C-alpha cells in the first residue's frame, strides 16, 4: 500500500445513518504490500461483488469533462430505470452520469450506477434524509450534515480539519452532503460534475462524480469481489456497511 493510498483511507467517508463506523467492526484487509496469497474478502464475511450495470450512453453529447455528466446518459433510459428502481429521477441522473463518466475515462474500473445508488441510499436516502429534497438544479436542501465525529457512541474520532468551513463545526469533522464526504476527502476528490464552475458538496452531480472517482481510485476491477470490497471499504471498513450497499445495489437491478 502506498503512502498516498493509506492517507486516502484514513480520510475515507463515514455514514450519517446508523453509526456504522463503529468500534469493534471487522476491518477489511484486502490490499496490502505483501505478495502473499490473501483470502478472498467473502471468506472474511464480506459480500460478493454485485453485478455492475453500466448506464446507456447518450448518442448526442460531447466528451466526458466537456459536458455536464447528466448529458452523458440517455434520458429515456434514466427515466425508465428511475421509475423501475424507485429512485428519485434527479438522483438517478447523477448516479448514471457519474458511472458514465467513469466508464468513459476509467473503463478498467467497471463501476456500475447501481453501486453509487446503493451508497446514496445508505448514506442519505437519496438526498431525502431528515426531510431534505433534491432541486431541479441537483442541490439538496436543507443541507445534509452528519453527526460530530467525536468518538462517542462508537463513532470515529476526527478533530476538525477545515475550521468548520464545510461542515459548520470547528471542533469535530462531520460527513456532509448526499454522498456524505468528510472535509479532507472532499478536498482531495471534490468534483464539478455539472460544470457550474465550482465543486459543491451539496449538489448531486458533483457529489456522485466525486464518489465515482473515489471508488475507482480505491478499488481495481469493481466486478471482482476484491476490487469492489476495496472500494466500499474506502467509504466504511465495515462488513455490515458492505452488505447494506450490496443489498441495495442488487435490489435496483431486480425485475429488469
Amino acid at each position: 500500500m502506498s503512502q498516498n493510498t493509506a492517507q486516502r483511507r484514513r480520510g475515507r467517508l463515514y455514514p450519517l445513518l446508523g453509526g456504522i463506523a463503529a468500534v469493534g467492526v471487522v476491518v477489511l484487509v484486502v490490499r496490502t504490500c505483501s505478495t502473499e496469497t490473501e483470502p478472498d474478502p467473502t471468506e472474511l464475511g464480506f459480500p460478493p461483488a454485485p453485478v455492475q450495470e453500466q448506464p446507456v450512453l447518450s448518442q448526442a453529447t460531447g466528451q466526458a469533462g466537456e459536458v455536464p455528466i447528466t448529458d452523458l446518459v440517455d434520458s429515456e433510459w434514466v427515466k425508465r430505470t428511475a421509475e423501475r428502481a424507485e429512485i428519485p429521477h434527479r438522483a438517478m441522473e447523477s448516479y448514471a452520469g457519474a458511472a458514465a463518466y467513469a466508464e468513459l475515462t476509467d473503463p478498467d474500473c467497471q463501476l456500475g450506477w447501481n453501486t453509487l445508488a446503493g451508497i446514496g441510499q445508505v448514506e442519505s436516502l437519496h438526498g431525502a434524509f431528515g426531510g431534505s429534497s433534491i432541486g431541479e438544479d441537483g442541490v439538496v436542501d436543507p443541507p445534509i450534515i452528519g453527526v460530530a465525529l467525536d468518538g462517542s457512541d462508537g463513532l470515529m474520532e476526527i478533530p476538525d480539519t477545515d475550521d468548520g468551513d464545510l461542515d459548520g463545526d470547528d471542533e469535530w469533522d462531520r460527513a456532509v452532503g448526499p454522498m456524505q464526504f468528510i472535509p479532507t476527502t472532499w478536498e482531495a476528490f471534490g468534483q464539478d460534475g455539472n460544470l457550474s464552475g465550482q465543486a459543491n458538496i451539496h449538489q448531486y452531480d458533483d457529489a456522485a462524480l466525486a464518489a465515482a472517482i473515489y471508488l475507482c481510485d480505491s478499488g481495481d476491477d469493481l466486478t471482482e469481489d476484491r476490487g469492489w470490497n476495496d472500494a466500499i471499504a474506502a467509504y466504511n471498513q465495515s462488513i455490515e456497511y458492505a452488505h447494506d450497499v450490496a443489498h441495495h445495489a442488487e435490489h435496483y437491478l431486480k425485475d429488469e
Side-chain angles (χ1 to χ4, degrees):
M1 178 185 297
S2 70
Q3 182 179 6
N4 287 341
T5 299
Q7 288 172 340
R8 285 197 299 270
R9 294 206 172 177
R10 285 196 293 271
R12 60 188 175 271
L13 297 82
Y14 296 89
L16 173 69
L17 308 178
I20 298 175
V23 173
V25 298
V26 178
V27 174
L28 178 63
V29 182
V30 179
R31 182 186 296 173
T32 72
C33 296
S34 173
T35 58
E36 297 178 2
T37 301
E38 299 166 357
D40 187 277
T42 59
E43 297 176 21
L44 302 176
F46 289 84
V51 172
Q52 299 298 292
E53 182 175 83
Q54 305 301 320
V56 174
L57 300 180
S58 171
Q59 299 301 309
T61 63
Q63 299 296 313
E66 297 178 354
V67 297
I69 60 170
T70 55
D71 288 354
L72 298 174
V73 288
D74 181 81
S75 59
E76 288 301 316
W77 178 88
V78 170
K79 180 180 179 181
R80 292 194 306 271
T81 305
E83 291 176 350
R84 175 183 55 75
E86 298 183 325
I87 293 173
H89 181 267
R90 190 63 187 83
M92 182 65 206
E93 284 185 310
S94 300
Y95 300 140
Y101 184 98
E103 180 181 355
L104 293 168
T105 61
D106 189 3
D108 291 340
C109 175
Q110 300 199 61
L111 168 66
W113 69 266
N114 52 312
T115 284
L116 290 170
I119 292 173
Q121 166 66 31
V122 174
E123 297 290 355
S124 72
L125 304 177
H126 303 307
F129 181 78
S132 293
S133 61
I134 314 168
E136 291 185 5
D137 59 359
V139 175
V140 174
D141 188 63
I144 299 175
I145 308 293
V147 297
L149 298 173
D150 59 4
S152 64
D153 298 325
L155 295 170
M156 296 294 292
E157 183 176 319
I158 307 179
D160 174 65
T161 61
D162 69 333
D163 293 326
D165 289 344
L166 197 65
D167 56 17
D169 189 333
D170 60 6
E171 182 176 4
W172 303 100
D173 271 350
R174 297 170 181 255
V176 181
M179 301 301 280
Q180 288 289 279
F181 285 93
I182 60 173
T184 52
T185 310
W186 183 256
E187 181 181 4
F189 289 91
Q191 300 293 317
D192 181 11
N194 64 344
L195 300 187
S196 67
Q198 65 175 348
N200 180 357
I201 199 169
H202 302 290
Q203 205 278 337
Y204 230 111
D205 303 334
D206 295 0
L209 181 57
I213 291 174
Y214 185 71
L215 290 168
C216 288
D217 187 74
S218 302
D220 294 322
D221 182 349
L222 269 63
T223 65
E224 299 291 336
D225 295 345
R226 189 178 306 281
W228 190 85
N229 280 288
D230 269 343
I232 299 304
Y235 250 84
N236 188 295
Q237 294 185 354
S238 160
I239 291 177
E240 181 181 358
Y241 183 84
H243 278 278
D244 284 347
V245 172
H247 167 76
H248 290 295
E250 292 167 349
H251 173 75
Y252 293 139
L253 301 184
K254 300 295 186 184
D255 301 322
E256 287 194 301

